[in-house]
């Protein structure tokens, strides 16, 4: 009966902690083509964490198997069994993402931060990822890890995310030098969506004077080329070539669309 595995799963869930792993594996294999099969594994792992059976988790789970929630449980098990080096290495990787992490990570993160205060460089990386992932609220919460010296730039970063036209004030940002590169990357990417011509003009002002990292150049030029194409700009090919020159990914599909639109079959 198609609902049987869900009824069986509900039955198991009443006393999931002591269920032998062999039963979990058998159930998950038998019903591997249904959501119930995966849920059985998920529920069992959560139950082991709730009961503090950390060796059992380490024995039967590998990072990347079921996603970040369970990776957090795995690295907490590492911490609880004394392998703090690997636990904290995993914690840093799981923390440094552009979105709020699973609550299953809370205890692991607290233990990690208690022994390893978050350095500014790592916080800035996560702020950048947060803006790229359209999570400005998360970026704002990370300001507490930034030094007083850099805080004005980080706060301006949030303002530029909301209103990318602010980067027209070139003198102000050029005065910050290379420290403004991540902020300007966000601003140029977002401005390109609204006004790619203006973004291109500002890029030509900033690029010779600001030391943009290669990945920042790729992101900026990709967005300018993309929205030049979307807006039927005659300069599309120029920006496509500029994006290709710095190794931006996914440029070729944009170039193909542009060539099709122009009926430039040779290109």
């Amino acid at each position: 009966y198609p609902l049987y595995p869900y009824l069986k799963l509900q039955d198991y869930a009443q006393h999931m902690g002591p269920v032998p792993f062999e039963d979990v594996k058998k159930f998950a294999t038998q019903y591997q083509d249904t959501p119930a099969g995966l849920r059985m594994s998920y529920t069992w792992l959560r139950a082991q964490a709730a009961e503090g059976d950390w060796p059992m988790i380490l024995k039967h789970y590998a990072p990347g198997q079921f996603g970040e929630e369970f990776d957090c449980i795995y690295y907490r098990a590492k911490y609880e069994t004394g392998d703090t080096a690997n636990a904290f290495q995993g914690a840093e990787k799981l923390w440094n993402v552009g979105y709020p992490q699973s609550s299953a990570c809370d205890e692991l993160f607290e233990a990690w931060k208690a022994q390893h205060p978050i350095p500014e460089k790592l916080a800035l990386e996560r702020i950048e990822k947060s803006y790229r992932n359209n999570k400005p609220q998360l970026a704002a919460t990370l300001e507490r890890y930034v030094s007083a010296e850099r805080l004005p730039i980080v706060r301006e970063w949030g303002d530029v995310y909301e209103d990318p036209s602010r980067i027209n004030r070139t003198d102000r940002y050029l005065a910050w030098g290379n420290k403004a590169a991540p902020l300007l990357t966000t601003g140029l990417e977002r401005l390109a969506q609204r006004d790619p011509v203006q973004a291109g003009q500002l890029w030509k002002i900033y690029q010779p004077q600001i030391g943009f990292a290669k990945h920042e150049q790729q992101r900026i030029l990709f967005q300018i080329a993309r929205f030049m194409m979307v807006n039927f700009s005659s300069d599309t090919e120029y920006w496509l070539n500029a994006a290709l020159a710095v190794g931006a990914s996914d440029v070729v599909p944009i170039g193909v669309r542009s060539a099709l639109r122009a009926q430039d079959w040779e290109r």
Side-chain angles (χ1 to χ4, degrees):
Y1 187 77
L3 293 183
Y4 174 77
Y6 299 92
L7 295 170
K8 189 66 176 172
L9 175 62
Q10 187 66 25
D11 182 39
Y12 270 127
Q14 305 305 312
H15 49 83
M16 184 59 76
V19 173
F21 179 75
E22 290 70 25
D23 290 358
V24 175
K25 185 175 181 181
K26 180 179 177 182
F27 183 96
T29 301
Q30 183 176 358
Y31 300 109
Q32 61 184 320
D33 56 346
T34 72
L38 273 178
R39 285 187 200 170
M40 179 65 166
S41 299
Y42 296 168
T43 306
W44 184 82
L45 283 165
R46 292 184 184 116
Q48 304 316 304
E51 297 200 357
D53 195 344
W54 308 113
M56 184 69 76
I57 291 169
L58 294 176
K59 183 178 179 181
H60 295 295
Y61 182 76
Q65 190 174 350
F66 292 142
E68 291 178 337
E69 174 190 349
F70 300 98
D71 285 359
C72 286
I73 292 173
Y74 171 85
Y75 285 112
R76 185 182 174 197
K78 283 282 190 182
Y79 171 74
E80 298 289 354
T81 55
D83 188 358
T84 56
N86 282 316
F88 292 161
Q89 186 177 6
E92 179 176 324
K93 181 180 178 181
L94 288 162
W95 184 84
N96 190 14
V97 294
Y99 44 85
Q101 192 54 278
S102 166
S103 60
C105 295
D106 290 350
E107 290 82 359
L108 173 66
F109 288 164
E110 289 305 314
W112 167 58
K113 287 188 283 188
Q115 296 189 36
H116 296 271
I118 293 174
E120 183 176 75
K121 181 177 182 295
L122 187 64
L124 292 171
E125 287 179 13
R126 195 179 188 196
I127 290 171
E128 179 183 7
K129 291 175 182 178
S130 300
Y131 284 128
R132 287 178 63 187
N133 203 41
N134 295 316
K135 300 292 183 187
Q137 299 89 346
L138 174 60
T141 68
L142 298 169
E143 290 182 2
R144 64 182 182 271
Y145 301 115
V146 176
S147 65
E149 178 187 0
R150 195 179 289 263
L151 191 56
I153 298 178
V154 171
R155 287 181 173 165
E156 179 67 15
W157 199 347
D159 293 337
V160 166
Y161 175 87
E162 297 295 338
D163 179 13
S165 67
R166 292 172 67 92
I167 63 173
N168 276 317
R169 307 169 188 175
T170 56
D171 289 346
R172 179 180 188 183
Y173 301 108
L174 289 172
W176 279 333
N178 292 346
K179 291 180 181 179
L183 175 158
L184 289 170
T185 300
T186 297
L188 286 164
E189 281 189 291
R190 291 179 66 77
L191 183 61
Q193 300 175 39
R194 305 179 185 184
D195 189 342
V197 173
Q198 186 182 34
Q201 292 169 346
L202 288 170
W203 167 251
K204 290 178 180 179
I205 294 172
Y206 286 121
Q207 188 273 332
Q209 302 184 66
I210 300 292
F212 291 98
K214 187 170 183 180
H215 73 276
E216 292 171 333
Q217 297 178 45
Q218 291 170 342
R219 285 165 45 199
I220 293 166
L221 289 169
F222 172 78
Q223 292 293 356
I224 293 174
R226 176 186 175 197
F227 286 98
M228 286 287 187
M229 188 275 292
V230 167
N231 288 291
F232 301 92
S233 171
S234 59
D235 291 332
T236 297
E237 189 170 357
Y238 169 85
W239 291 103
L240 285 169
N241 289 333
L244 282 171
V246 297
S249 59
D250 299 324
V251 176
V252 171
I254 297 175
V256 170
R257 292 189 186 98
S258 177
L260 285 170
R261 180 180 292 157
Q263 298 187 24
D264 187 343
W265 311 115
E266 183 176 351
R267 182 156 69 94

